[in-house]
Amino acid sequence: MKLFLYSIALLTVGLTLAQGQSIRLGYYGETVTHYGLKVAYERPVWGHVNVRNQATKQFLIAPSLAAYRHPKNHIGFILSPELTYRRVGRRGGLFDLCVAPAYFRYFLDGTTYQAKADGDFERVRLAGGSAFMPTVSVGVGRDLSVKHHLPLSWYTRLNLMQQRPYNTGELKRFALEAGVILNQ
């Protein structure tokens, strides 16, 4: 919990100091059947352009929200402050490396009941649970503003997550992101 609060504090400081911004929007899913959407608001904290090869290197901070559906099981929401290292080469090739301490909340997809003291059952609204889900991501893509002068990039990312707690232990999860970055 402390790590999550420290991340929120870092996110707040980063948003007040940063210049420029972009919106990242894309498909988010664990598998083809666990489909969803992810949106993030990216702000650079630090940036550098290499004079020799015109490569741009940046550290970005991005609050993000992902939502997905696991049919007949649950609907999940992942809130995370992401810290991303991004490199854009002189031809527009994009590389991302990201870490994020994430908060995961899921709601069971169905009607849930619990037993009362008198033996009857009562309906539980918004039944589900919460977990800490640290995430590491690696991504590639293309910045179209380099060659085509469009304020747009496409990307794809592979996310490795670890849900804690999961039953009595943890659960490693993988997710795929694919979408666009709208530069402003």
Side-chain angles (χ1 to χ4, degrees), residues 51-110:
V51 178
R52 183 178 56 85
N53 64 4
Q54 298 301 309
T56 303
K57 297 177 183 178
Q58 291 181 314
F59 279 101
L60 304 159
I61 193 141
S64 69
L65 177 65
Y68 72 93
R69 182 168 186 252
H70 181 166
K72 299 182 181 180
N73 191 308
H74 69 271
I75 297 169
F77 295 93
I78 302 168
L79 178 66
S80 61
E82 300 175 354
L83 179 61
T84 304
Y85 167 77
R86 178 172 294 155
R87 182 186 186 280
V88 178
R90 64 183 168 96
R91 294 184 179 157
L94 184 139
F95 172 78
D96 273 352
L97 185 61
C98 175
V99 294
Y103 171 73
F104 175 53
R105 176 73 177 139
Y106 64 92
F107 300 98
L108 299 176
D109 192 12

Side-chain angles (χ1 to χ4, degrees), residues 131-180:
F132 176 60
M133 192 167 349
T135 305
V136 176
S137 305
V138 64
V140 294
R142 174 87 40 203
D143 187 345
L144 301 177
S145 67
V146 174
K147 284 189 169 181
H148 304 289
H149 306 292
L150 293 171
L152 185 70
S153 302
W154 63 264
Y155 76 97
T156 183
R157 269 188 180 177
L158 181 62
N159 299 319
L160 171 62
M161 304 166 287
Q162 186 180 46
Q163 181 181 336
R164 301 177 195 171
Y166 180 78
N167 293 335
T168 59
E170 58 170 64
L171 175 65
K172 288 184 180 51
R173 305 178 109 164
F174 296 92
L176 177 68
E177 280 182 62
V180 294

Side-chain angles (χ1 to χ4, degrees), residues 6-73:
Y6 290 138
S7 300
I8 295 295
L10 178 65
L11 173 66
T12 304
V13 170
L15 286 176
T16 58
L17 297 176
Q19 301 283 328
Q21 59 198 9
S22 58
I23 304 290
R24 191 174 74 235
L25 180 66
Y27 167 82
Y28 180 87
E30 289 186 333
T31 63
V32 176
T33 60
H34 303 174
Y35 51 89
L37 183 68
K38 184 170 184 177
V39 64
Y41 176 72
E42 299 179 333
R43 298 283 309 244
V45 178
W46 176 85
H48 174 71
V49 177
N50 190 334
V51 178
R52 183 178 56 85
N53 64 4
Q54 298 301 309
T56 303
K57 297 177 183 178
Q58 291 181 314
F59 279 101
L60 304 159
I61 193 141
S64 69
L65 177 65
Y68 72 93
R69 182 168 186 252
H70 181 166
K72 299 182 181 180
N73 191 308

